[in-house]
Amino acid sequence: MPVNPDLQGRVFPETSPYLVGREKIREFSAAVLSQSPLNFDVEAAQAAGYPDLVAPPTFGVVIQERTLEQLLEAPDAGIDFSRVVHGDQRFTFTRPIVAGDELTATLTVSSVKQLGGHSMVTSESSILDATGAHVVTAISTLVVRGDE
Amino acid sequence: MSAALDLASLAVGDVVATRSFTLTRDTLVRYAGASGDFNPIHYRDDVAVSVGLDGVLAHGMLTMGLAVQPVLDWVGDPSLVEDYQVRFTRPVFVDAESGALVEVAAKVGQLDVAAGTARIDLVVTGNGQTVLGKAQVRVRTPAAAPAAAAAAAAPAAPAAPSA
């Protein structure tokens, strides 16, 4: 079943605010084998000029995940999750995420393409802080494998 | 630390950082918990095999997450990273007993000394085979960082010069 081409251009509702906690940053940083004190030590982060612990660059995936759920669960999307493979991923930063940030995200489907039997769905999740300022945009292409 | 970002002293092709990581099944379970990605292909051999894989594989986002670290350590300040992208080209299988070895080499791919930006290309291998394609990190010198971004991240920081 191909992905619904009408998804292209669709904008999903903004996600509910996600409050970035220190312990979540520490947990995520340890999980990606970070050794940077900025990810673990508040004093080190503040000495480097940040208000609080700094999240690793790929932490935005935690927020993006909530938007991708909206996409995968859209009843008319036609996306069979068991056939989904992550094709590529990109983060474009205005600034790093820090502990205390309250983040919301809005997903826009930028393109739906067919390549052979596969569908490629590219989406952009724009992540903003509580003031509405841009923090990072997470762009990913999901490959939905066709019947084999 | 950001003294390393003296772009004039760099040449395209220079290796600016390397690091290797040993992944075990434990690493994958930790990443699953921290990221919320509980796809069983990352911790159950039976499920992985049932969908046609050779065995349990690392989350692509775990590989992406660790591969950028040598660049961050080299740059010193994470706010100098403008953009980071990868293409997932081959999975990293993580053996239940011996785990997997992921090696990263960060090379200068492109330089724009006048603009104060550089593209760092990551060569990332898992068990000796390239696993990421077009893995690129765009960095900027402190002088090229927009003042607004510096202010948002660090109100009390020594301010980046506003152009």
Side-chain angles (χ1 to χ4, degrees), chain A residues 36-50:
Chain A
S36 170
L38 301 182
N39 298 149
F40 297 100
D41 179 349
V42 177
E43 284 181 17
Q46 290 176 342
Y50 291 90

Side-chain angles (χ1 to χ4, degrees), chain A residues 6-27:
Chain A
D6 294 343
L7 277 180
Q8 187 163 315
R10 189 175 301 180
V11 180
F12 285 79
E14 185 182 80
T15 57
S16 59
Y18 179 100
L19 179 60
V20 179
R22 280 182 185 165
E23 299 310 332
K24 186 65 187 180
I25 287 183
R26 291 191 175 112
E27 180 192 16

